[in-house]
Amino acid sequence: MTLLGESLLIAFIGLAGGIAVGSGMVAFLVVLDIIPRLAQITYSFTKIRAYEAAVVLGSLFFTWVDFSDIELPLFPMGTAIVGVFAGCFVGMLAAALTEIINVLPILAKRVGMDSYMILLLMAMIFGKVFGSLFEWLFY
């Protein structure tokens, strides 16, 4: 495979991963109405713009941190606190990803892929399996 072919393949894999994560985030925020529900539970409807800004700025900041070589030397309890928040986020995102199955038929119908719905689901399943196996075995 040529250097251009490898670069295109890596770009395609990155784009596919970004679309998968982005659709999970959209399902988390839009389909489940997480921000309005949190505002309702905490009786803080006046702060809903601040919640939205926090989600966007947090996503941008931690994407930047992930791509940079920043190291944060935390004491053990600080690491545990960050781990708890990260675990809560991953758990809520995993729950939102189960809800994305409700979004896929609507998306497929709007894009005109009704007849390819099974292939779309199988691609997502096999992509998750092969990606997980690759990470566990080679990364």
Side-chain angles (χ1 to χ4, degrees):
M1 184 177 278
T2 66
L3 183 62
L4 177 65
E6 288 179 13
S7 298
L8 289 174
L9 179 63
I10 290 170
F12 175 75
I13 291 171
L15 181 65
I19 289 172
V21 171
S23 60
M25 195 68 176
V26 167
F28 179 65
L29 295 174
V30 175
V31 174
L32 297 177
D33 287 334
I34 292 299
I35 294 175
R37 284 186 188 181
L38 289 175
Q40 180 182 14
I41 290 169
T42 59
Y43 302 108
S44 58
F45 288 107
T46 59
K47 306 234 186 301
I48 200 160
R49 295 283 183 214
Y51 295 151
E52 292 170 350
V55 169
V56 171
L57 292 175
S59 297
L60 290 174
F61 175 74
F62 285 106
T63 300
W64 175 76
V65 167
D66 191 32
F67 283 118
S68 65
D69 291 331
I70 293 177
E71 292 183 15
L72 296 174
L74 295 175
F75 56 96
M77 187 54 92
T79 306
I81 291 169
V82 170
V84 167
F85 283 116
C88 291
F89 175 78
V90 169
M92 293 172 78
L93 188 59
L97 288 174
T98 61
E99 292 292 324
I100 198 168
I101 299 301
N102 296 335
V103 175
L104 285 177
I106 297 168
L107 177 66
K109 192 173 198 175
R110 288 188 181 171
V111 178
M113 294 181 58
D114 290 345
S115 58
Y116 299 108
M117 189 65 190
I118 296 295
L119 292 175
L120 182 63
L121 287 172
M122 295 305 286
M124 289 175 65
I125 291 168
F126 286 127
K128 179 66 177 169
V129 168
F130 292 138
S132 296
L133 286 174
F134 177 77
E135 184 176 356
W136 292 335
L137 297 175
F138 300 109
Y139 189 65

